[in-house]
Amino acid sequence: DWVYEFHPRPGEKLSVSIRRPKPLAGQTLAIDSVQQQTSIGARSTDSTLHFSYRSTQGGRHSVGLPPEARVSAVSVDGQSVPLRPANGELPLSLLPGSHEVAIAWSTSAGAAFQARPDRVDLHAPASNIQTRLQLPDKRWPLGVAGAGVGPVVLYWGELCLFVVVAILLGRIARSPIATHEWLLLGLGLSTLSWIVFSVVAIWLFLMRWREQWHAERIGNRTFAAVQVLLAAFTVLAVGSLIFSGIRYGLLARPDMSITGPGSMDRAFEWFNDKTSSQLPTPVVISAPLWIYKTLMFAWALWIALALRSWLRFAWRAWTANGMWRGKVIA
């Protein structure tokens, strides 16, 4: 309440003029933050929506959901509210002040080649939008796309660089294996470990060097040390290829080098600073994991055959110009 007092002196008078200011056009509802989480299963998808709003007046408002959505829970400030959507619109009662709303629903759509969150329309501008999408265990993520700050699949850039390196290795005059063998070796190890590929590549080039090594003027101690080191490195390279490459290729999940704030393996997260009404719908491209397992099984069979040829080559190189020289101790 405003109280004004005037105490006039003799002969004075007070004139008061009161008027209502004209209202300016603007929003009475401000949505400050939004979090949409989508967990995709084999045959269904579970979603949750949480947003915080400020309103200068109460009233009716609705949130657009997919027509086939089955709403399981709605809460306002942590208190459950019995609401159900009608024709894809979930009615809400806005209250003056700051409040939080949480909505949970599910749909019958399961995992597919392209996975994206359900379309949600807030029917009002919103800011600070966080979108999170979770793939099931038996999916192989291949790529992502979406507006805002989000995840990146670095594997494809690494693979393009490797293809160039493999072609260059195959063009070297003393390359121990052909270009297509470099490509197949790297493709199989690309989602597991580039370190194993490097170890195997160094081993093959070392055996090529040993095959053409002229050791006539080398002492017995040096020759024996080189032979022992080459034999030990052979065991290391073959062992890493079998136990780290083939074994983990058949049992482990592929490493697609997914990076980004809050993103890893099967979890993907995007952030947008604002939207006019409809929430962003980024997309994740994936394939069934059994396709990856099948490819790795075929690659493991090829490695088993290729190792026979590589080990025969390594034996010929290791025994070139003699395998051992008499006594090491003079």
Side-chain angles (χ1 to χ4, degrees), residues 184-215:
L184 289 173
L185 176 63
L187 288 174
L189 295 172
S190 59
T191 60
L192 299 172
S193 174
W194 291 113
I195 297 178
V196 176
F197 173 80
S198 301
V199 170
V200 175
I202 293 172
W203 167 63
L204 290 172
F205 275 105
L206 283 176
M207 300 314 296
R208 176 66 76 188
W209 167 82
R210 173 62 183 87
E211 183 182 38
Q212 301 174 352
W213 183 36
H214 299 286

Side-chain angles (χ1 to χ4, degrees), residues 184-185 241-242 246 298-308 310:
L184 289 173
L185 176 63
L241 182 59
I242 294 176
I246 298 178
W299 178 80
L301 292 179
W302 174 81
I303 282 292
L305 298 175
L307 265 180
R308 295 177 56 187
W310 297 349

